[in-house]
Amino acid sequence: PQIPEGMPDEKLSDFRHAVRELFSDACEYAKQLPIIVTVENFSVRKIPYATIEDIKYLLDNNPSLMFTYDSGNFPLAGVDEIEGLKAFLERTVCVHLKDLARTECGEIIRNGIKYDSLELGGGFVKNAEALKIVINSTKIISKCQSIITPI
């Protein structure tokens, strides 16, 4: 869900609460199934899970909700990708690495700047640093092992 255009500030709290409730309902339903519900950081600030503060709100209010880290989405939302990874490392169960570069004809546009997706290592996203953190994190591996159960 996106924040509707022109939504008054006094309604944003209600909207955030409604999104939290959607994730809460999904997590409750998932308890009956062998699945993990995750929230991925999004690249558009209108989405109520693009910033560290927004994701923290969702995770704090949904204890069984886990995190999917997207290395390219954080910088597109104006958030440092390493800071974002470290903020939710203990709740990370999936990692999506991608790379980006500023271009003249890119299809991804944020704040008037055009970007293109590239092969890993071809752009500015700090994927090598993120991958080292993930590889050296026993938190991610142990969390996945404790959540996944055979059908």
Side-chain angles (χ1 to χ4, degrees), residues 69-138:
Y69 169 74
D70 188 311
S71 64
N73 282 352
F74 269 132
L76 288 174
V79 176
D80 179 80
E81 61 271 35
I82 300 304
E83 184 181 337
L85 173 60
K86 289 179 177 178
F88 307 112
L89 198 57
E90 291 188 21
R91 300 280 289 272
T92 300
V93 295
C94 184
V95 175
H96 174 194
L97 299 175
K98 65 181 169 204
D99 221 335
L100 300 165
R102 292 179 181 175
T103 64
E104 293 294 320
C105 56
E107 295 183 18
I108 304 166
I109 303 171
R110 297 292 183 276
N111 298 320
I113 301 170
K114 295 180 180 182
Y115 301 91
D116 266 334
S117 292
L118 306 170
E119 71 284 347
L120 290 180
F124 63 81
V125 180
K126 302 173 203 167
N127 286 303
E129 186 178 348
L131 195 53
K132 285 179 188 174
I133 292 168
V134 170
I135 289 170
N136 292 319
S137 174
T138 56

